[in-house]
């Protein structure tokens, strides 16, 4: 008896699975953006205003908090743009080039998105194995396109 070849029956994620993966990754990136925006708002609340001194009195700490708030806001904006780029789907090289351009516009290296994309693929709120596999494949392709 010959061994059964899995590829004959299961060819991997189909086009619908890949589209669902793109949508799920985009949604996870939007959730990450919301977290970054909340962090930026929380840090910004610690800064002094024209009418109040604020809770931080040391200038060095103010500068550090201000910089952290700005970085969190930039990451939030980048994540929202990345979600908009990824959501409709498309060829990985084109999406990778668009993502790399987006990171360069905010002054960050393109590689900064790779761990966030991997985390988005791992945070899918589903037990659908095909969607998870499709998301992992999509992120792997995007990471290669961003790096290359």
């Amino acid at each position: 008896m010959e061994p059964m070849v899995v590829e004959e029956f299961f060819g991997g994620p189909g086009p619908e699975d890949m589209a669902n993966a793109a949508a799920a990754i985009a949604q996870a990136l939007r959730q990450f953006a919301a977290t970054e925006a909340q962090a930026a708002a929380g840090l910004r609340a610690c800064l002094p205003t024209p009418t109040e001194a604020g809770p931080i009195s040391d200038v060095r700490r103010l500068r550090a908090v201000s910089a952290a708030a700005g970085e969190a806001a930039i990451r939030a904006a980048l994540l929202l743009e990345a979600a908009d780029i990824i959501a409709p789907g498309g060829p990985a090289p084109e999406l990778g080039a668009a993502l790399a351009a987006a990171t360069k516009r905010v002054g960050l290296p393109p590689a900064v998105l790779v761990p966030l994309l991997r985390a988005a693929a791992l945070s899918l709120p589903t037990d659908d194995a095909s969607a998870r596999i499709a998301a992992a494949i999509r992120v792997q392709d995007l990471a290669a396109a961003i790096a290359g």
Side-chain angles (χ1 to χ4, degrees):
M1 176 175 227
E2 292 183 33
M4 181 178 73
V5 178
V6 175
E7 286 79 19
E8 290 178 7
F9 299 100
F10 306 104
E16 185 177 333
D17 295 320
M18 295 305 277
N20 290 341
I25 291 166
Q27 181 57 32
L29 291 175
R30 286 185 187 98
Q31 290 172 343
F32 295 170
T35 301
E36 290 285 351
Q38 288 174 338
L43 288 166
R44 203 171 295 117
C46 295
L47 297 174
T49 64
T51 59
E52 283 188 26
I56 302 173
S57 60
D58 184 9
V59 173
R60 291 173 297 210
R61 289 185 181 150
L62 280 173
R63 211 173 307 145
V65 169
S66 179
E71 290 294 322
I74 286 172
R75 280 191 304 273
L78 176 60
L79 288 167
L80 287 174
E81 187 171 357
D84 289 342
I85 291 168
I86 291 171
E94 291 176 16
L95 295 176
L99 291 170
T103 59
K104 289 177 184 175
R105 275 195 299 279
V106 297
L108 295 173
V112 76
L113 275 178
V114 174
L116 297 168
L117 291 171
R118 291 188 195 285
L122 292 172
S123 69
L124 297 184
T126 181
D127 61 350
D128 182 2
S130 186
R132 289 182 172 278
I133 292 168
I137 290 169
R138 180 48 118 182
V139 165
Q140 182 178 351
D141 292 345
L142 289 173
I146 289 170

